[in-house]
Amino acid sequence: VYSITTVVHGRRPLLADALNAGIVRDEMQAICEEGRIESLTWVIMPDHLHWLFRLKQGSLGQCLQRLKSRSARAVNLANDLHGPLWQSGYYEHQLRGMEDLTKQARYLVENPVRKGLVTRIEDYPFWWSRWISSSDDLT
């Protein structure tokens, strides 16, 4: 199981736009549907993505390259942009054990609250978690 963070090129807040965030979400879902990963938690922040998932097929690098390539192409097309959407590379952390997973999921989901984007996670539209459905689950 991996927790990854990948950042928008130049830290531009392109993912604050619902259309762009939806494109990234849809590309993550497509990778799940292909059987490559099992998504556990994700949070799309204005200028980066946090994603917790179980890798089922292929390498971590292949999975992230697929996400970045597909989402960059779609975001660029939707916004009449050119060039990279994502910075090269990504931060990764491999997790073990259920306690680590739920702790990491809580940490990721709390990001919009910590950054002051919302006061309750329910008010932030670009997140999902297998274990968390509201702020009540974060305590």
Side-chain angles (χ1 to χ4, degrees):
V1 174
Y2 291 95
S3 177
I4 66 96
T5 300
T6 190
V7 179
V8 173
H9 188 73
R11 285 260 183 199
R12 295 174 296 166
L14 292 173
L15 304 180
D17 180 275
L19 174 66
N20 296 337
I23 289 169
V24 172
R25 180 203 56 226
D26 292 348
E27 293 302 338
M28 290 188 300
Q29 182 62 37
I31 293 169
C32 290
E33 290 171 0
E34 292 168 359
R36 295 178 181 276
I37 61 109
E38 176 187 4
S39 197
L40 303 172
T41 299
W42 54 262
V43 180
I44 301 170
M45 298 294 286
D47 64 355
H48 64 282
L49 165 68
H50 296 288
W51 194 12
L52 179 66
F53 60 86
R54 184 179 326 279
L55 186 63
K56 296 168 67 177
Q57 183 182 88
S59 71
L60 180 61
Q62 289 170 329
C63 176
L64 270 290
Q65 190 278 332
R66 193 171 196 89
L67 172 71
K68 287 179 160 188
S69 174
R70 288 177 170 183
S71 59
R73 203 173 3 227
V75 167
N76 280 344
L77 183 62
N79 294 278
D80 196 28
L81 298 172
H82 303 282
L85 170 63
W86 302 102
Q87 289 183 10
S88 62
Y90 50 89
Y91 168 79
E92 68 175 85
H93 177 69
Q94 190 171 13
L95 293 123
R96 306 185 197 291
M98 191 63 170
E99 184 177 320
D100 287 345
L101 294 180
T102 55
K103 183 178 177 182
Q104 183 69 17
R106 282 188 192 100
Y107 177 79
L108 297 182
V109 167
E110 289 175 327
N111 258 275
V113 175
R114 276 195 308 278
K115 295 290 185 184
L117 300 176
V118 292
T119 55
R120 299 174 327 132
I121 190 59
E122 299 90 313
D123 299 330
Y124 193 73
F126 310 122
W127 72 281
W128 174 85
S129 179
R130 166 172 287 184
W131 302 285
I132 302 163
S133 58
S134 72
S135 294
D136 293 338
D137 298 328
L138 298 173
T139 57

